[in-house]
Amino acid sequence: MVASLGEDSGYVPYTAFSAKKSYIASNPEIIQSFTNALQKGMDYVQTHSSAEIAKVIAPQFEETDLDTITTIVDRYASQDTWKSDLIFEEDSFNLLQNILEEAGELDERVPYADLVDTSYAKKAAQ
């Protein structure tokens, strides 16, 4: 490995969740509970060692030995791959659009404020 893409590019939001505005408006408690659960996982990653994280996630990777999982988790941690919260910052949104645009997958850019709602993530991060 020559370099980590994450180290060289900044935070790229590689996982996202979406819902229709009507669903969000009708089910804010579900959206908040889901967001809180994801934040709880992120808090765990920030407060536990690579070995502890590896042990917890090992059942998802049955074909990989625990030492290898620990090494991978340690690499992610040392590269600061994981954010500490779910707040989708405008810089990351623009970076994602740049990547999609350069790959020929984005025909038209979308304004951050038109697509992103960080209120649930901000509440979960408190």
Side-chain angles (χ1 to χ4, degrees):
M1 178 170 68
V2 176
S4 161
L5 183 60
E7 287 180 314
D8 289 342
S9 68
Y11 284 114
V12 178
Y14 55 88
T15 302
F17 301 93
S18 62
K20 291 183 175 184
K21 285 183 181 182
S22 59
Y23 182 85
I24 295 170
S26 298
N27 301 283
E29 68 288 340
I30 292 173
I31 300 296
Q32 190 63 62
S33 293
F34 181 74
T35 307
N36 291 349
L38 292 172
Q39 183 63 53
K40 186 175 179 181
M42 294 182 84
D43 293 344
Y44 183 91
V45 167
Q46 294 296 320
T47 59
H48 289 76
S49 70
S50 297
E52 291 169 317
I53 296 166
K55 191 173 182 179
V56 169
I57 67 172
Q60 301 300 314
F61 303 96
E62 293 178 358
E63 70 287 351
T64 308
D65 66 85
L66 189 58
D67 287 340
T68 299
I69 296 170
T70 303
T71 299
I72 293 167
V73 171
D74 194 48
R75 183 180 310 140
Y76 273 56
S78 68
Q79 294 170 347
D80 194 28
T81 299
W82 296 304
K83 287 184 64 189
S84 60
D85 61 53
L86 298 163
I87 301 167
F88 191 5
E89 303 291 347
E90 190 167 2
D91 287 348
S92 293
F93 179 77
N94 290 330
L95 177 58
L96 178 60
Q97 289 194 101
N98 291 345
I99 292 167
L100 293 171
E101 199 170 55
E102 290 172 19
E105 299 295 327
L106 183 64
D107 296 327
E108 184 179 334
R109 295 179 80 88
V110 180
Y112 173 81
D114 290 354
L115 195 61
V116 178
D117 176 356
T118 60
S119 62
Y120 295 95
K122 287 178 179 177
K123 186 174 180 181
Q126 292 176 343

